[in-house]
Amino acid sequence: MRKSLVLTSVALVSLSSCHQQALKKQPNIIFMMTDDHTTQVMTCYGGTLIQTPNLDRIANEGMRFDNCYVTNAISGPSRACILTGKFSHVNGYKDNFSTAFDGDQQTFPKLFQQAGYQTAMIGKWHLISQPQGFDYWSILSGDHEQGHYYQPEFNENGKIITEQGYVTDIVTDKTIRFLKNRDKSKPFMVMYHQKAPHRNWMPAQRHLGKFNDVIFKEPANLFDDYETRSRAASEQDMSIEKTLKDRWDLKIATREEMNDTTNKDKFYQAYHRMTDEEKDRWDQAYAGRIREFREKKMEGKELVRWKYQQYMRDYLATTLAVDDNVGRLLKYLEDIGELDNTIIVYTSDQGFFLGEHGWFDKRFMYEECQRMPLLIRYPKVIRGGSSTNAMTMNVDFAPTLLDMAGLKIPTDMQGKSVLPVLKNKGKIPDNWRNSVYYQYYEYPGEHHVKRHYGIRTPDYKLIHFYNDIDEWELYDLKKDPFEMNNVYHDPSYKNIKNELIEELRATQKELKVEEI
Ligand code: SGN
Ligand code: CA
């Protein structure tokens, strides 16, 4: 009896050490996601505005996805799609405000945790309910979980704490600390989620004033008149001209004005999170801008152009710390010898308008914000410097990571693993999908973007605006990549239009979309 017990426990010990060995061989994962970081500003995506050497490194040593699309271009919903591998109407999180994410449902971090991974979620979570499936979590708190740029507040495993410093650096410090203290017998899966470069674009101290003397090239459609487009385009509230606020967005306020306690607006709150030293540097960097604004008394197009430049200066300066910190995290992984054992994913919750169509923000199914950056580095499978045109979506991330780690993909996930694309140097597999689906629900709401759904194929985009409007748009993307000319009513597109409508309806049926 005793003997057999001993034998059993010996067998168990060696079994469990076998299991540990197997787990150890599984890849680690660092899922890097920023907020509103768009491909137009990444050199690896052909951007020329600034250099992004650390993102470029991931692209040069991994694969760049040129046709990766968000399924609902807004933060919480995009995050919910990523976690579940399911569209908004199935995971239940359709907009940033109506509900809290139902965290009891299946998510990919839970599956990794169940498979023996050590899991962590650090930074912007923005799903209101508490994270589940993580051994450690420290998520941004305050301002409806948008968090703060300076001295940010975190909810750390249920406890609210305020950290000293700049948010992008702190999220990285916390990630590195987690990696240092981790259980080294297990592989890790870390979600590293930056707030930057979300509105109101407050750069790190070291990047303040960095672009004060730079004039950025304007997009050709900065003064779009929305001719041929639906009312949705002209009735939005996200224009550089009308929506950007002088204080919050453009930082037009002197120290004296900021000390006026009769106006404790959002910018007052954000500004006074800085230390006195930080405020000194801040004021110095913005003094010239404030003076120019007040002296020149600009109007009309001159004022829009000026606002565009200030917006770009702040947005781009805020992205600099993102790139720095990506570099710092890659270097840390390299130093501990884990870089090549780790699947590195870089993405953003959606893209963003940088003056195209006269806008900032996102939400619309137009290219600048529908397209997500997606870079994946894992040299054991991926050829460095490769790229792909395969049509992919954020619902594909969960099945892809499970597949890459050799874990089972649940049959109810709606996304598809892109592992065949990764293995095949970017070549599109024979049975790959020919279109991606999109649906946006947050209307009525901030920025007034009407509800819409549609499909994008490699060559065309079909959009239907619905709810309190019933208008369609069709774009011939090869001829019109900036989506300026809606050809929905053009008789020469009749056949294409009908085929696309058919495909759209079939897709909605397949995905069990109810709100159409
Ligand atoms: C805030 C911003 C909006 C932005 C949403 C959603 N307003 O409400 O401009 O669209 O977040 O962004 S602000 O006055 O607070 O800056 S999301 O990326 O989190 O979905
Ligand atoms: Ca976002």
Side-chain angles (χ1 to χ4, degrees):
M1 180 75 185
R2 232 186 115 79
K3 201 175 164 194
S4 72
L5 245 184
V6 169
L7 268 178
T8 317
S9 50
V10 167
L12 272 177
V13 167
S14 60
L15 242 182
S16 87
S17 77
C18 262
H19 183 60
Q20 295 291 354
Q21 284 302 323
L23 272 178
K24 254 186 137 172
K25 277 193 208 117
Q26 278 183 290
N28 304 307
I29 293 161
I30 301 261
F31 182 82
M32 302 182 174
M33 180 155 72
T34 44
D35 197 346
D36 300 352
H37 197 197
T38 193
T39 52
Q40 300 95 295
V41 299
M42 301 177 190
T43 13
C44 50
Y45 273 99
T48 53
L49 295 158
I50 52 165
Q51 298 295 313
T52 49
N54 294 298
L55 295 182
D56 300 351
R57 175 178 179 194
I58 305 179
N60 291 336
E61 298 171 6
M63 188 178 291
R64 188 191 70 221
F65 284 72
D66 290 340
N67 279 315
C68 179
Y69 295 96
V70 68
T71 49
N72 183 357
I74 185 138
S75 168
S78 174
R79 292 161 203 271
C81 292
I82 290 170
L83 288 170
T84 59
K86 296 172 184 169
F87 288 83
S88 304
H89 62 281
V90 176
N91 69 49
Y93 203 71
K94 294 178 175 175
D95 63 58
N96 276 340
F97 293 102
S98 312
T99 49
F101 174 65
D102 167 14
D104 291 341
Q105 65 187 300
Q106 167 187 280
T107 62
F108 87 81
K110 286 187 190 174
L111 298 172
F112 273 96
Q113 193 181 43
Q114 283 158 19
Y117 271 70
Q118 204 179 1
T119 57
M121 161 64 226
I122 299 154
K124 185 170 172 178
W125 172 249
H126 205 205
L127 287 164
I128 315 307
S129 54
Q130 281 201 349
Q132 294 186 34
F134 300 101
D135 299 308
Y136 166 77
W137 52 271
S138 187
I139 59 172
L140 290 171
S141 147
D143 191 14
H144 198 75
E145 292 195 3
Q146 293 287 4
H148 311 284
Y149 276 109
Y150 284 89
Q151 274 67 245
E153 237 174 49
F154 286 82
N155 180 346
E156 184 149 307
N157 286 352
K159 194 170 149 234
I160 304 291
I161 50 172
T162 301
E163 302 281 9
Q164 296 303 304
Y166 185 68
V167 68
T168 314
D169 301 332
I170 294 169
V171 167
T172 314
D173 294 344
K174 280 177 180 282
T175 304
I176 291 177
R177 205 176 311 134
F178 168 80
L179 292 173
K180 266 192 190 142
N181 299 331
R182 75 188 194 280
D183 173 353
K184 297 192 177 66
S185 68
K186 292 177 170 183
F188 56 82
M189 196 293 288
V190 178
M191 303 190 82
Y192 164 83
H193 288 190
Q194 293 292 5
K195 166 186 175 62
H198 191 273
R199 191 181 181 191
N200 70 335
W201 319 295
M202 291 176 78
Q205 291 278 303
R206 60 190 181 280
H207 299 130
L208 284 172
K210 185 96 184 161
F211 299 123
N212 276 0
D213 301 322
V214 180
I215 302 289
F216 294 102
K217 189 171 178 283
E218 290 169 9
N221 55 3
L222 179 62
F223 295 100
D224 194 349
D225 59 8
Y226 316 118
E227 212 194 325
T228 80
R229 258 65 56 74
S230 74
R231 274 189 300 124
S234 45
E235 291 181 8
Q236 46 54 48
D237 179 24
M238 48 195 256
S239 69
I240 306 266
E241 181 185 4
K242 297 191 185 120
T243 317
L244 282 182
K245 295 198 175 105
D246 289 356
R247 279 165 66 107
W248 175 242
D249 297 307
L250 298 168
K251 290 88 180 178
I252 309 289
T254 60
R255 173 75 68 97
E256 210 186 344
E257 287 158 341
M258 291 315 298
N259 285 339
D260 173 2
T261 52
T262 59
N263 182 8
K264 289 191 174 179
D265 64 0
K266 262 187 105 154
F267 191 49
Y268 178 95
Q269 312 289 343
Y271 179 90
H272 287 295
R273 297 190 76 84
M274 288 190 283
T275 63
D276 285 345
E277 268 184 5
E278 287 171 339
K279 287 179 196 168
D280 288 344
R281 271 187 234 116
W282 181 277
D283 291 345
Q284 226 181 342
Y286 286 101
R289 174 188 298 191
I290 298 169
R291 213 174 314 117
E292 192 184 7
F293 179 76
R294 294 191 169 152
E295 279 169 8
K296 282 197 178 162
K297 299 194 173 24
M298 295 161 282
E299 283 179 11
K301 284 193 171 175
E302 186 192 9
L303 181 57
V304 175
R305 294 207 148 99
W306 187 85
K307 285 184 180 179
Y308 166 75
Q309 292 301 332
Q310 314 318 315
Y311 162 49
M312 290 299 284
R313 286 171 184 168
D314 290 345
Y315 178 95
L316 290 170
T318 307
T319 67
L320 295 177
V322 167
D323 193 74
D324 284 0
N325 278 288
V326 165
R328 192 152 71 91
L329 191 49
L330 292 176
K331 169 136 195 333
Y332 179 74
L333 291 167
E334 208 164 24
D335 290 348
I336 60 169
E338 292 290 348
L339 184 62
D340 288 351
N341 302 323
T342 305
I343 299 167
I344 308 279
V345 176
Y346 186 88
T347 189
S348 172
D349 61 345
Q350 10 65 210
F352 211 64
F353 294 108
L354 294 178
E356 300 91 353
H357 305 286
W359 300 335
F360 69 96
D361 211 65
K362 53 263 176 174
R363 300 160 191 268
F364 274 111
M365 193 192 162
Y366 297 133
E367 284 301 277
E368 293 80 3
C369 69
Q370 191 193 0
R371 171 169 288 132
M372 298 170 91
L374 178 63
L375 309 171
I376 310 183
R377 182 192 190 281
Y378 186 51
K380 290 181 184 166
V381 172
I382 304 169
R383 185 204 264 184
S386 54
S387 68
T388 182
N389 283 322
M391 304 288 290
T392 50
M393 294 180 271
N394 58 353
V395 289
D396 298 333
F397 299 174
T400 300
L401 291 174
L402 291 166
D403 205 10
M404 289 180 83
L407 302 179
K408 204 168 155 279
I409 303 170
T411 50
D412 62 348
M413 281 194 176
Q414 294 177 299
K416 246 179 135 164
S417 165
V418 303
L419 183 57
V421 178
L422 296 171
K423 278 184 174 162
N424 222 351
K425 304 182 192 82
K427 196 172 156 272
I428 304 175
D430 288 344
N431 55 353
W432 200 248
R433 66 168 76 89
N434 192 41
S435 65
V436 291
Y437 186 69
Y438 184 88
Q439 189 153 8
Y440 172 80
Y441 304 84
E442 197 178 295
Y443 177 86
E446 195 179 9
H447 298 297
H448 301 184
V449 173
K450 295 199 186 281
R451 292 186 185 215
H452 56 294
Y453 55 73
I455 50 167
R456 191 208 193 276
T457 70
D459 296 337
Y460 298 99
K461 188 179 292 184
L462 177 73
I463 313 176
H464 182 213
F465 291 94
Y466 70 101
N467 185 240
D468 63 349
I469 177 174
D470 177 14
E471 294 187 50
W472 291 79
E473 294 180 3
L474 170 61
Y475 296 99
D476 182 341
L477 297 167
K478 288 276 169 307
K479 286 194 192 147
D480 178 26
F482 300 106
E483 298 159 315
M484 298 296 287
N485 189 24
N486 172 20
V487 295
Y488 187 82
H489 301 286
D490 180 337
S492 63
Y493 283 88
K494 193 168 161 235
N495 292 342
I496 287 164
K497 179 178 86 181
N498 290 338
E499 276 167 29
L500 287 166
I501 292 176
E502 212 173 286
E503 182 160 349
L504 169 68
R505 295 305 182 201
T507 305
Q508 288 179 320
K509 204 166 162 203
E510 189 195 320
L511 300 177
K512 301 192 170 56
V513 178
E514 279 166 6
E515 187 176 306
I516 53 171

